[in-house]
Structure formats: C-alpha cells, structure tokens
Amino acid sequence: MTQPNKVLATFQVNGEPHEVAFLPHKTLLEVLREEMDLTGTKHGCELGECGTCTVQIDGTPVLSCLVLAVDAVGKDVQTVEGLAQGAELNPLQHCMADLGAAQCGYCTPGVLMAADALLRDNPKPTRDEIKEALAGNLCRCTGYIKIFEAVELAAARMRGEDAQPSKESIYGS
Amino acid sequence: MVLDDPKSAPATREDAPWQHDKKKEDLKHIGKPIRKVDARSKVAGLTRFADDLRLPRMLHMKLLRSTMAHAEIVSIDTSKAAALPGVKGILTGKDMPTPFGILPVSQDEHALCPDKVRFVGDPVVAIAATEEETAWDACRLVDVQYRELQTVGSVHEAAGTNDPRLHDYGVRGNIHRLENLEFGDLADGFNRAEHIREDTFWFEGNTHLPMEQHATLAHFDRDGKLTVWSSTQTPHYLHRALARVLAPLPAHKIRVIAVQNGGGFGGKSDPFNHEICAAKMSMLTGRPVKIALTREEVFWCHRGRHPVLMRSKIGVTKTGRITALDFHSFLDGGAYGSYGTASTFYTGALQTVTYAVENYHFRGARFFTNKAPCGPKRGHGTPQPRFALEVQLDKIACDLGLDPAQMRLDNLAPRDSLTANFLRIGSMGLGACIEKVVEGSGWKERRGKREVTKDGRIRGLGLACSSYLSGAGLPIYWNGLPHSGVQLQLDRSGLVTAFCGSTDIGQGSDSILGWIIGEVLGIDPLGIKVVTADTDLTPVDLGSYSSRVTVMTGNAAMQAAERARDLLAKGVAKKLEVPASRLVFADERVFDAEDPQKGMSFQDAVICTEAQFGTIGTVGSYTPPKSAAKFRGGGVGPSPSYSYSAAVVEVEVDPETGIYRVPKVWMAHDIGRALNAAVAMGQIEGSIYMGLGEAMMEEMAYRDRSHKGKRVFVHKIPSLLEYKSPSACEMPECVTYVIEDPDKNGPFGAKEVGQGPLLPMMPAVANAIFDAVGVRVDENPVSFEKVFAALQAQKAGKEARFGPANDDTGVPVVDFGEPLQIKTPWQGGDGTAHNDPHRTKKAAK
Amino acid sequence: MLRLPTFSYHRPKSAALAVQLKQQHGREAMFVAGGTDLYPNMKRRQQTPTQVISLQDVPELHQLEVLPDGRLQIGAMVTLSTLEHYPTLKLHYPGLQHAIREISTPLLRNMGTLGGNLLLDTRCTYYDQTHEWRESIDFCMKSKAESICWVAPGSPRCWAVQSSDSVPVVCAMEAEVELAGADGTRTLTADALYNDDGIQYLTKKPEELLTRITLPASGGWKASYLKLRRRDTYDFPVLGVGACLWFDGDGVVTKANIRLGGAGSYAIPATQSEQLLVGSKLTDELIAAAGTAAMKPARTMDNTDLDVYWRKKVAPVFVARAIAACK
Ligand SMILES: Cc1cc2nc3c(=O)[nH]c(=O)nc-3n(C[C@H](O)[C@H](O)[C@H](O)COP(=O)(O)OP(=O)(O)OC[C@H]3O[C@@H](n4cnc5c(N)ncnc54)[C@H](O)[C@@H]3O)c2cc1C
Ligand code: SF4
Ligand code: FES
Ligand code: FES
C-alpha cells in the first residue's frame, strides 16, 4: 500500500489558527500534543477509557484520542490551555486550585473541559448532575469529592454569589 | 556559599522539639488551606509530565516484551528490524548484563532479559526509531525463539514446584523469603485465652493504576553526561540503579530528574527496565531517547499489592483482649524480588500497634510466580493482614456478644509504649477516631437493624480501624546517612529557595516545604521557591514512599529553616541592638517582640545578615530515631510515628443478587497535625476512594488456560476499562473527621495521611455486608459474586461464608523452620532474639 | 501511546457514494460513524482497514423525525447524546432512552451514534486486547481463522458477546432498520439484522449501509431495559435485558418480547418467559416465574467481566425486574 499523503490544514484551537501538516490517520490528540505542542491535553489509555484527553469541539466535550484530526478542521477546538483569560484563571480553575481538586493534576485538564461544558449548559448543577457529567473522567487521586465541591463552588460564583467552601469540606466534620 | 556549621547540630535529634506542642492559634500558615505551590500550573494545564517533554533529534523507543509466561530465550534475531528505515538503535540483554533491583538483597532484574523470561510482559529487546510507530513496527520484525518452561501460577503451585525455579537464589525452590518471629510465649497466651478462633483469608492482588502512564526521557550529551527525566517516585534509587548498570559511567555524571508524577501510589518506586534502557539507548545513539509506556505496559511494571493468603489464629479474653496471635502469610510475589522482602515483613509488622497483643507469632513466606512483580502499593504489605485482623475481630465481637466498636476501644494499644514486636508508639488517637465515627454514623442505634430501602436492599454498617507508618525507620539500602536533606538559599531579593530531593507525586510534598519554611521564617509560603527531585541540584531524599516525606522532609526543612532564622536573628539583633531571642519572624518582617514597630522587612533582614556573614545558606537533615527492635527483621515496621484511622461504612445489599452499593462512609484519621487542612482532606478522601476500589472491584486477575499442552498464563485485563476502578458515580458521600494528636517526632506534630485511611475500607465493607445480610466474605475484593455465593450457602443451610478453605488445606504446607524468639518488653526483653544463630555465630567470632 | 494504523480517509457526500466506495475497496474498507468502537479496535489491531469511509457528511443519516403515523425515524448517524436528550424519546420511548443513557460515558455518547451502537462488534476478553496481548495467546479464531476459540476450545464457532445496550430493547420493540445497498434499500426487523455467531454477527452484506432505525408508534405497549455491569458508567453490559410487552385494555398481556443481551452472540429471545406472560395480567408470581424461565436461554460464557455462573444465576432476577418495569 502506498503511504497516504499528509494533509495541510488550519485548525482553530483556543481561538487561534494553527497550520499543521499531518497524516490522515492521526488523532486530534496526537496533533495537539505533537504538532502544536499543546501538551495540556493528556492521555491515559488512547482507547476512550479514561477521559484525560477530553477537549471541546464546538463546545461539546469529546475524547481527542478517538477523533481524527482531519475531522476537527474547520471547527472550534478548545483545550485546557484556552480556559484562562490571559493570565487570569477562570472561576472553575480557581476553585479547583483552592480546594486541592488537582492532586497529581493528570486528570485535571480533562475534568476541567468536561466540567466547563457542564457549567455552560447548566449554571446550577446538582451533585448528581455533576457526577453524571464527570462519569467519563477517571481520577485516581482525589476520590472526586474535591472536584465536585470545586464545580459547585465555581457554579455559585459564576452565578454571582459570594460563595465560600464549607467548613466541613476543608477542615472535616 | 557559607554553610551553617554542620557539626554544631546532629543530623538526628531524637529529643528534638519539632514544635509539636505549639498551639494551633499560634500558627500562621500551618493548618490553613493554602493553595499548593503548583496548583496554578496544574489547573492551567501547564504542568509538564514526562511524556510532555521533547528534545531536538529525539528518538522514540519501544520494548518488545515476552509473549511467554516462563521460558528460556533460545535466540533473538533483530536483523529484519535493523533494516527497517528509521530504526536507529537496538538493544538486547547482553548489552546490559548487570542485574539491578530496588533492594540490595534482591538484585534480580535485568534491563532486558538476557536468557530467561519470567512473565508475559518481561522486556527482551529495545528499539529506538525516529517515529514511535516505526519502533513498534520494528519490534514486530524481531524473531525471538523461546524454549517454554513450566509455569508457576500461584502460591500453592510455587510451594509445590521445586523445579524449575524462577530464580537461582532465595530460600529453596520458588520460595523467595521465609520469616519466622515469635514474640513472647504463644502457648501461654493461648492457655490464658477464653476464646480462640482460626480463620483463613485471601486478599487478591491489585495495582496502583496511576492515570499517567510511566514515561522517561534520557539524554547523553556531548560532554559525556547523562540526564534522565522520568516519572519516578524515587529519583535517588533510580540514580543508584543507573550507576550500577551503566558502569563505568560514574554516578556523578548521571543526573536524574523526577518529573511531576501523574499519580504514583507506589507504582513508580522501583527503578524500571524502560528507564535504564532509555539511558543506555541514548548512550548508544548519541541522541535523546524517549519511551512512553502504554497502559498495558503499566500493568507489566505493576509492583502492586501482593496477593496474600493468610491464616490467623487468635486467642482473646472475654472482653476481647488479645492474649495470643498466631499469624501466617503467604505472598504471591510475582516474577521478581522488588520490595518483596520488606513487603513480607510488613504483612506481620503492624498488627500490634492498634490493639494490645500480648504474645505474637508471625510466619511469612514469599513465593516467586510467573506474574508481573508485586511490590509496594499504598499501605505496603499492611492492608492484607489488616483486612484479616479487622474481619476476625468483628467475628470475635460477634462470638462474644460484644459491640465491635466498644471491644476495640477497650483494648487499644497504649500511647507512648512499646509493642510486643518492639514498635514504639508515640501519639495514639485511635480511640478518638473510633468515637467520632461511631457517633457520626449513629452506629449504636443503626447497627444490626437491617433496615430495608425503598428498592428492597438491606442496610448494614461495618467498622474497621488501622494504622500506618510515617515513613520507614530504615532506608532501602544500609547506610548511616540522613533520610532527607534540605538546603536553603536566601537571596538579597528576599527570595528563599529550598532544595530537596523529595518528589511530589500529587500528594503535595513540594508545598509541605513551603508551608514549614514559611511558618518558621514568617514569610508567605507561596513566595518560597521550591527546587526538588533533581540529583544534580538537590540533597538526597529517599523518595516518596511509605508516607515518609511529610515527616522526614518536613523535619529536615524545619531544621534548615530554624538555622536560617537563627542566623538572621543574629544579624538583625546586631543591627537593631536587641537580643536575638526577642526577635519575632512574622508577616514578612523581623521585629522586636516588645516593640513591634522596631524591626525590618524580611528582605532587609537577609541583606543585613549577608552584609555581616556573607552569602546565606543553611542545611537541615533528618534521620529517624533508632529503633528498639534489634532482632533480624526488626528493621521493617519501626517508624517515627504511627497514624490511626477508623471507618464506618454503610452498605445496601440486594439480597437476590449480592449486588451492593456504598452510599456513605464516615472516616476519622489521626494525622498528628494537619499541615494543610484542604490537602489533608484530599488525601483522606483519595484513600477512601482507593480503598473502596480495592474492596469492591479491583483485582489483578490472570487468565489461566491450557490447550494441547500449551498453558496460557497472562494478565486477564490489562486495560483501564476492564481493570475496574471506581468512577465518579461510585464515590460515596464521605463524612471526614481530622483528629489531631500531635506526635513529638513530626514537624509541628504531623504524622502521615496519604495511606492510612485506605486500610480500614476493605474490612469495613466486609463487616458491613455481614451486618446487612449475615454472611461473611473472607476474601478481598468483596465482589458481588462472592456476596451472592455466601448468600446461596446461607440459604442452603451451609456456613454463610465465602473464602478459602478454613482449615489446613486452605494454605500451602511450608516448613518455616525454627522461629527467632524475642522476649516482649513486658517479659523484660531487650529487643534482641535470644536464639538467633547468626548472632551467636557473630559473637563467637 | 497506542496509535492508529495508517489508512486513507474518505468522507463521501451521499449514501450511494459511500456504498460505492465500500464496494470498490471490498474487505480493505470499513465504514466509520462515531469511531468509538472502530478506532479502539484499530488501535489494538483487531481491525485494520486501509480505507476508512466516514459517514459524517451523508446528510440523510442525520435525520431525526416523527413520521405522520407516529413512528419515530432515527438516522444512523444521530449521536447517542442527541437521542438521550431528545424530548420525544424521553416521553414515548423511556425504555430505549434509558438504555442509551446507560451506554459508556457522556463523553463517548457525544461521539457515538445509534447506528454504530446497533452494529457494535461483538466482544470477548480474549479478543478486545492489544496485538501484543493476543500474541501471547497465539490469537483466537476471531483474529485468525485457523486458531481456536479460547472460551470453548472444542467449539467450531466464536462465542464473542453481543454487547450493545440498545440492541436488546430495539429488537424487543420490533423496530425496523433500513439498509442501503448497491441495489437500493431494504427494510427488515431489527431482530433479522443479527446472526448467532461471534464473527459473522450481522446478516447484512458488507457493503450495505445502515441508514435509519424506525421505532413503532407509542401506545398499547411498554418497553424496558435493565443492565448488569460492575460500575454505573463506562462498562459494557454483561447482561442486558430488553423487554417489551403489549397490553389490552384490561392489562392482559397480548404479546411479549424479551431479549437477553450480553448473554450470547446475539440478543437471545427468552421464548419460554414470553409464552408464560401472554394471556395473563402481570402478577408478582407470574413475573417471578417468567424470570426463572429465562435461566435456560442465557448462554453466558467466561469471556466478559464478572463471574460466568453468577451472571447466569442472576439473569432470572434481571428478567423479572425488567418485566416488572413494563407494568
Ligand atoms: C470505553 C468504552 C465504553 C463503552 N461502553 C459501551 C456500553 O456500555 N454500551 C454499549 O453499547 N457500547 C459501549 N461502547 C461502544 C461504543 O462506544 C458504542 O457502541 C457506540 O454507540 C458505537 O457507535 P459509533 O458511532 O462510535 O460506532 P463506530 O465505531 O463508528 O462503528 C461501529 C461499527 O459499526 C460500523 N458502522 C457504523 N455505522 C454504520 C452504518 N451506518 N452502516 C454500516 N456500518 C456502520 C462500523 O464500520 C463499525 O464496525 C463503549 C466504547 C468504549 C470505548
Ligand atoms: S469467543 Fe472465542 S473465538 Fe470468539 S473472540 Fe472469544 S476467544 Fe476468540
Ligand atoms: S486517552 Fe483515555 S480516553 Fe482518551
Ligand atoms: S488528580 Fe491525579 S488523577 Fe485526578
């Protein structure tokens, strides 16, 4: 079989154009990490089984390890690197940092991308809705609780409330 | 750099005041929920893990691994692979003939198998190419011819197979280790017992499953220096292994940098084949070489929880006081030694630190089998016996008609005491832990009620406790050096930089440095620069394992910071003309306690001190207190302090299927003192999570099939999908209590938190199942099928139990030989064995 | 990192072109919808097409509409998350909606399609492994025709497991599927799409394209789905019971379809249970009896998660509960 030719295409990632040449069998994960040096997007299985590679395409969270890069051309791709506004973290990032919701931080980019999409659709998610939205993101460090609490806190702050983390969540009962 | 006179203070300060008695109110940063120093970069996606690193001209390496469980290598033909365009280097076992291993007593691994493979996944050939795909394709072109050997698949098989041996060292046959320690007088203990039980338990192996797959980048540069970036928890030990295998390359030309770990849990604590191969490959090709393991390969690295078969005979008084404990453990070690010697001892070490045990006999055997090697996972060697002990105590309480919680409270090991096996207990908050979870869960009112939920499930509550070390008392290899060192540099800008070999694997050890130094020097912890885990730049710290970092690095940091403060105080005292003892370090200032206006900024304090004494740097180091256990094997178990945990777990069991869920957990943990509230909570919640996974579903199961004389023996499910680990949906509601019983050996009284709270989860789940439906599962994981099988047995009028045969047939027959006999402290023992043949021989010489 | 093998990629603009491409490349080509089944399989080298034909640009496959007679027509490319949140499905087809919500994870449901789910490859823990792992068992019949089946070494066939969550309920509901081939389109009942074989698990011709699924109009019947798996997310069913019961005005069962997914190579009808139900009202005793009767047809094998005997033993409980949910 003859090797297929590389594709030359321009991606819109985090609102910026990136022109890249790549082979058609390359996944978005590979192109983001290896051609654009956007290594914020992680990988833990490359088979759809962990969620660490979650990015948003046109606002929908998907697994970049199972999306062909060619199929993301012409769409709006968002990665964890695009969440902060300049040097300022977004509220969800702030809350995750404050509560220690990122321990090793390896699942964090994927969790952020999934949770960010949730908060856009649902400004006041219940604990069950948060669990449901994060049901595709494995974390081995945190037991998820600090992540749930960070999403709830960020949601409240994004609604304009002057919310603080509960005493129990920080100091225990 | 002028260092503070190192002679002036000892490295060990057994009686040192690590400020454990300081009042909470007087602490400015300690205990507060300050952000971790790396929190921002982690949530911004800017933290670089090993596979995120790239260098110009970098090659990608792949390992060809054994497809056989046990075989001799007859030949390896790499010629076709070498001819593939893009292939730049090939290594086989003969290129790295020196064996290595984490423990000096088991140097039984090779970077690539030279003559024999011992499990499916053992690496045989390494290939580097310009693209990762090319390296993979090239591996498929290698022809390895094997001569199959008989597979050894379990503890029972290993005990019965003397030939073939996996290794030509060890006790005999496939027995790697045998330990036999008797403390006190067992016969007397059982004589005095008013109730005796014997139970057999099985704890299946499981693995760490860090989300990050191990990766290593190695670069042997033009100056003949090797740099290795790796996802490792133990850069110092990797450094030693590299120096050993790559000799004559001297250790000082090797630099190991532990990159941020995407989770470790003990799984990145051994030096690994792929790390050494990457280094060697870079030396061979003269180019940077990266290897990033696949998820399946992470399962081959393993070093996880040993599968352990246990037989426990216990004698108690009517009130549940343990007069005698006779404990056997049989560990399935997998293919290599790894930390296994320590693991074996750990299955017998910590039974004594929770409840008083008057007489104790421990026998442990570790076997080699054709599985991925086992090693240390969170709780290292102690969760298995803890499961056995806590379930057995639950049965005893039931036999005696006692409340399991009260029975435990009545028999706690005393604080500030020596145990039967000479472990020195300091602070001991287990009683407070039990009281908290009992109260919070409504234990007294709700236990044994068998409430039925709306969907027909039956509720039950289970309780279990545990303890864990705050770091091992001895290093991995024998030496008299400190376990942790910290070096501080104070700059004119006011910047304090801390250099330390410790490795942050997500637990927050980098931040610990900042908080402690910030507290002592009265400056913002987030303003402190932390440089860690780089063998060129940082003083040795032994690594992130056995929950040692907070206590050991913490104490070293404290010493370095105190020395810096003393020096600054001297400088400032002279300038302000106030006695140094009156100076206060707080709020980025140094000032007179009696006249707070009189003072200067921290930066000015550094400047005026530098002007007087020259460049400012201090060091601190830490060595744990000497152990009271002097018998052979007594090196495993001693620790500066022990943490304690108690858990109540609620389950809801479907009696028709055995399926259960865990809606709620109450966990209390005696942490000594929380250095950071939120981070401590995160560690406890993470432990609950991982313990729940072990209790409900996680297992390293093997496929064992034979067809026409060929036996297939391979990990059943090396994937994230099929190795089940709990998702967000399974995580229960957690009520967490942080108990602070400061220990004099910890910085500000701190003890460990990263591992202990995992331990009670498994027995608490098993005990809760019993409370709900009256059946015993004496095996971990307590999976649905086992609950169902026990329910079926119950229905059929048989013993309502699932587990290994509860008699002598349940465990292999092993001759443990004569025990080392050690008198307990209350028998007047001095910590030595009075019948140690080695010792008598030595003395005779 | 696991990577895809090299291939050429096509995005035809119509069903006819897609079929034509597939015919042209034959066995070398495969269709892809969401790719959540195909790409993992390719990364593990279970399937290695050199031509991949994406269906994403075929407009007719994205349609989703209620027909004038009340039936619901779903294009094969409609994603699972679209369906999960589609009000009509929630309202009139709660059984199917529930089955869809139980598939994999929300992230995968944003990508996976109903068509792909209906055509999901059969699964087996000896097969859904990397190339390297399968090398260690010297492969099995599903990868290499001359090899044995490790699950049942004496068997001439493959026992890989039907593992789609939607199939049992779609079959029980008597939904119809439409296939587009070289000679035009044809419609068949969902049941007729499947074969009792782990390798040849579909009856359709290789070049035939699944274009849409048509659900019967609501009213007079009720369907349910009950899934057995270890975790509440990610995991494939190791038992998935799809039940659909038709009632007369008095609550008497006039027709019953029960399908066992995850228990064999196709969604197995629990015929005896069905027969027991027809002609009676649902009582607790009847439901239990119908459950017990489902033990026989379940052909669980030791090639999925969870213990094989247990899966068979709890099948009656699950069947009974699925029937009860149709009340
Ligand atoms: C981690 C993980 C967990 C999962 N869990 C579940 C689960 O719990 N339950 C479950 O049911 N599934 C599960 N899946 C499988 C899969 O995600 C779903 O079945 C999904 O619906 C498949 O749809 P797709 O569009 O991605 O299929 P694709 O991968 O695109 O296609 C699947 C197959 O169908 C063929 N095909 C697709 N569309 C057509 C068409 N229109 N005409 C002809 N052929 C076509 C393809 O050639 C391929 O062979 C899981 C997958 C992963 C990775
Ligand atoms: S059922 Fe048998 S032939 Fe089929 S995939 Fe499994 S092992 Fe292979
Ligand atoms: S890398 Fe695991 S889901 Fe994509
Ligand atoms: S923070 Fe480590 S995996 Fe989630």
Side-chain angles (χ1 to χ4, degrees), chain B residues 143-163:
Chain B
D143 181 19
V144 184
Q145 294 294 322
Y146 295 105
R147 193 174 71 79
E148 205 180 330
L149 297 169
Q150 184 190 324
T151 302
V152 180
S154 67
V155 157
H156 283 279
E157 279 180 40
T161 311
N162 285 324
D163 186 44

Side-chain angles (χ1 to χ4, degrees), chain C residues 46-75:
Chain C
Q46 291 156 267
Q47 291 162 330
T48 47
T50 57
Q51 309 290 327
V52 172
I53 306 162
S54 167
L55 304 174
Q56 63 183 290
D57 292 345
V58 180
E60 57 265 43
L61 302 190
H62 293 273
Q63 281 164 5
L64 176 58
E65 59 177 331
V66 182
L67 300 180
D69 60 4
R71 293 182 301 156
L72 176 64
Q73 207 164 63
I74 307 169

